[in-house]
């Protein structure tokens, strides 16, 4: 994680896994955590092995993404005018072996790919309820990125 170059405003928070004799506890987010920006919706989403869900960005929503099962590659792109990281990509895999919360502020493009051949599950804890008018979508070839 030390060599990872974060996009301005994006946070990567290592999370605890607490081993218990009858089943482990996987930390997600609490109100006092850096990156917490309110809560209005939480949902789970799967992505199949080798599938890439194309670019999208939220105009107002902050995402808090956790991958408790499988492995998912996230690629973020910053096209915000005036941003210190304008024109930069960020590429990170989240899994049980890199158990972190990825906090993505509004106006950052994101696409992601299923890496594990088994189930790939993400949870998003967002500060807003889903609104189809608040998200912008593009095809995967919108940006020149080597998947």
């Amino acid at each position: 994680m030390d060599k990872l170059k974060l996009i301005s405003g994006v946070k990567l928070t290592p999370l605890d896994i607490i081993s218990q004799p009858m089943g482990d506890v996987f930390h997600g987010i609490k109100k006092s955590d850096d990156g917490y920006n309110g809560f209005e919706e939480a949902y789970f989403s799967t992505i199949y092995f080798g599938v890439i869900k194309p670019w999208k960005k939220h105009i107002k929503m902050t995402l808090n993404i956790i991958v408790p099962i499988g492995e998912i590659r996230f690629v973020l792109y910053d096209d915000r005018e005036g941003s210190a990281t304008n024109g930069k990509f960020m590429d990170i895999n989240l899994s049980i072996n890199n158990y972190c919360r990825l906090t993505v502020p509004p106006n950052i493009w994101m696409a992601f790919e299923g890496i594990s051949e088994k189930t790939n599950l993400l949870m998003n804890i967002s500060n807003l309820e889903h609104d189809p008018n608040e998200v912008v979508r593009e095809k995967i070839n919108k940006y020149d990125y080597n998947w």
Side-chain angles (χ1 to χ4, degrees), residues 47-67:
I47 183 167
Y48 299 120
F49 171 69
V51 172
I52 300 172
K53 290 192 179 181
W55 299 106
K56 71 177 180 177
K57 74 174 174 180
H58 290 274
I59 305 303
K60 299 176 185 175
M61 183 186 289
T62 297
L63 311 173
N64 281 287
I65 298 171
I66 302 164
V67 177

Side-chain angles (χ1 to χ4, degrees), residues 68-87:
I69 298 172
E71 183 174 0
I72 301 175
R73 178 184 184 193
F74 294 90
V75 178
L76 282 60
Y77 179 70
D78 186 358
D79 71 347
R80 300 170 296 172
E81 289 185 27
S83 170
T85 53
N86 178 272

Side-chain angles (χ1 to χ4, degrees), residues 121-136:
L121 179 75
L122 70 81
M123 179 180 192
N124 179 30
I125 304 165
S126 60
N127 66 324
L128 300 174
E129 288 186 39
H130 176 72
D131 175 358
N133 297 315
E134 182 273 335
V135 65
V136 180

